[in-house]
Amino acid sequence: MTEEYDASEGQADGSPLSRRPQCESERIRTDGGSSPGPDRHRIIRELRGELARHPAVQAVEGKPSNEYRELRATVAPTWFGRQTEEASLRVAWIPDPSPGPETSDRASDAWMRTPIRAYYTVHYSESSGFDCGFHCEPNPHVDGLLHYQERDGTDTAYTYEPVSLSARSVSALFWEVMDGLSDRLDQL
Amino acid sequence: MPSDDSPDAESEWVETWKAHASAFDRVKSVTMTLTESRPASWIAEEAAVSPNTARDHLDRLINLGVVTATTVDGVRHYYPDPLYTRLRDVRELLEETTKQELSEQAAQLKEEIAAWKTEYDAASPDALRERAAADDISADEAYELTQVASDWELVQYRLSLVQDAFENYDTWMSGPSSLTV
């Protein structure tokens, strides 16, 4: 980074829109190189489109609305064979987190069972209190990152299970996860 | 992932995806979520289309200014056009937000960044990532620092979009044809 963009401080006029030179992560890259903020924003926006295409999804929006840190969707529980009144989906994505968990003494947390280097979450919740989801993130209950977790209600503990996914792209992985979610819910 | 031409049985999720998204939409979606440039063969496999179909759609996306191409070791690689994605994001802000709301959003985003600087005593997201990589940091702490660094970078990007939209609001919103990219 050549120059820090101090976005918390305005210039002399004190306006929140005052500008300073942008840091490296905000500059437009044309060489296919990665820049974390724009990459995550672009991926979340594209996932919004994939969610909108999915037959289980009734509505989807970015949260918080002015930041797009994650997506929240209203889904039809009947599509998953569930007889509850309301259900929702939370989708989060942090592309290529650096440093990864393979650094230092965290060798047991290496990316395993998924070709995509990212922290991600696709989590389904029902109004009944039941919730479950696929998570690729550090969790002390699971060796490695990618796992499925489920609980019957907010007053019960999660059960955790290592799982594998084959998709190498974000979009394909979303559809693979939704299929996995459908299988899990169908087995309940 | 099997392609259109593959004799292998497709996974059920591939069939579901193909039933709800055209080949063009799948190629576009796979390409728009890349974090590094990829050749058409890679994109084709992920989008469940043949390599020729992928190349045709990628050429169309290049002509539309959505995707860029570079040559790596003699092979054409594709990546989302950063200028297109930025203009798309700014346009969405202009369509959904008033000038006053943009000003309020900018203030809120700056407050969030200021709060992270204070809470973590860090000048930038990079400082948090460096801290996360230290040997004496636990996995839980490293995960939290990485998440905050990513949120910080995202908010910086959103702030830059809001500032662009605000500064050019009067120009770009002055007529019905002014938003055409």
Side-chain angles (χ1 to χ4, degrees):
Chain A
M1 187 181 299
T2 56
E3 187 170 4
E4 168 61 14
Y5 176 36
D6 186 353
S8 69
E9 299 173 8
Q11 292 173 334
D13 63 0
S15 163
L17 277 306
S18 299
R19 308 213 51 168
R20 287 188 177 189
Q22 295 178 341
C23 71
E24 188 67 32
S25 65
E26 293 169 63
R27 291 193 183 121
I28 292 176
R29 298 278 298 267
T30 56
D31 59 356
S34 179
S35 42
D39 280 359
R40 182 174 168 194
H41 192 268
R42 172 167 50 77
I43 288 170
I44 292 285
R45 284 239 10 212
E46 204 61 36
L47 279 172
R48 184 183 68 176
E50 291 305 310
L51 275 158
R53 285 192 185 106
H54 197 281
V57 175
Q58 297 170 324
V60 58
E61 58 182 349
K63 290 287 184 181
S65 59
N66 62 347
E67 291 182 25
Y68 265 93
R69 286 194 207 180
E70 61 183 37
L71 298 167
R72 295 289 177 91
T74 305
V75 297
T78 50
W79 193 87
F80 297 103
R82 300 287 291 172
Q83 299 305 314
T84 190
E85 282 189 16
E86 295 176 3
S88 63
L89 204 63
R90 183 173 75 86
V91 177
W93 196 279
I94 297 179
D96 199 16
S98 177
E102 75 281 7
T103 60
S104 185
D105 60 351
R106 298 186 288 277
S108 64
D109 284 338
W111 264 272
M112 295 189 295
R113 306 185 293 276
T114 174
I116 299 181
R117 281 183 62 90
Y119 291 152
Y120 52 84
T121 298
V122 179
H123 200 89
Y124 169 91
S125 301
E126 293 184 349
S127 50
S128 65
F130 170 87
D131 67 89
C132 65
F134 289 84
H135 295 239
C136 187
E137 60 193 11
N139 187 302
H141 301 284
V142 183
D143 188 25
L145 300 177
L146 181 58
H147 63 274
Y148 171 81
Q149 63 186 65
E150 176 185 310
R151 66 178 176 180
D152 289 331
T154 52
D155 56 348
T156 58
Y158 279 112
T159 58
Y160 301 88
E161 179 187 338
V163 294
S164 298
L165 296 170
S166 62
R168 296 178 296 166
S169 64
V170 176
S171 305
L173 182 128
F174 166 74
W175 288 85
E176 187 179 12
V177 165
M178 290 298 281
D179 187 59
L181 202 53
S182 179
D183 286 346
R184 295 280 178 163
L185 293 169
D186 196 43
Q187 292 167 10
L188 294 173
Chain B
M1 180 186 299
S3 72
D4 278 354
D5 305 328
S6 171
D8 300 331
E10 287 184 331
S11 301
E12 194 172 335
W13 61 269
V14 177
E15 292 177 10
T16 307
W17 192 15
K18 290 173 78 168
H20 293 90
S22 68
F24 177 80
D25 286 338
R26 297 196 305 277
V27 168
K28 183 183 176 199
S29 182
V30 167
T31 309
M32 294 304 287
T33 53
L34 291 175
T35 53
E36 59 182 296
S37 62
R38 295 287 189 180
S41 57
W42 191 98
I43 293 168
E45 195 171 346
E46 286 302 299
V49 301
S50 70
N52 284 339
T53 298
R55 283 188 200 93
D56 288 346
H57 291 323
L58 287 164
D59 284 345
R60 189 174 158 203
L61 289 166
I62 288 172
N63 289 335
L64 291 169
V66 176
V67 167
T68 61
T70 54
T71 301
V72 180
D73 296 330
V75 179
R76 207 168 196 212
H77 282 56
Y78 301 86
Y79 192 74
D81 186 311
L83 187 56
Y84 166 81
T85 54
R86 185 173 184 86
L87 289 175
R88 182 185 63 174
D89 294 338
V90 171
R91 181 166 60 181
E92 186 178 86
L93 270 175
L94 289 167
E95 289 171 345
E96 297 177 353
T97 319
T98 66
K99 197 172 182 181
Q100 176 62 30
E101 288 169 339
L102 288 171
S103 178
E104 292 167 359
Q105 282 191 17
Q108 183 186 337
L109 294 170
K110 286 187 173 187
E111 283 174 11
E112 287 192 59
I113 292 172
W116 283 320
K117 284 186 173 182
T118 301
E119 182 177 355
Y120 293 93
D121 190 23
S124 68
D126 283 351
L128 292 184
R129 290 187 185 276
E130 287 173 15
R131 201 177 298 169
D135 285 343
D136 59 347
I137 294 290
S138 70
D140 285 347
E141 288 174 305
Y143 180 43
E144 179 191 336
L145 291 170
T146 302
Q147 280 187 308
V148 174
S150 181
D151 288 348
W152 189 335
E153 288 154 351
L154 185 71
V155 165
Q156 278 185 326
Y157 178 64
R158 284 294 294 191
L159 177 58
S160 72
L161 295 177
V162 168
Q163 288 170 324
D164 267 4
F166 182 86
E167 288 173 3
N168 296 288
Y169 193 90
D170 294 334
T171 303
W172 288 339
M173 296 300 282
S174 61
S177 63
S178 60
L179 295 182
T180 302
V181 176

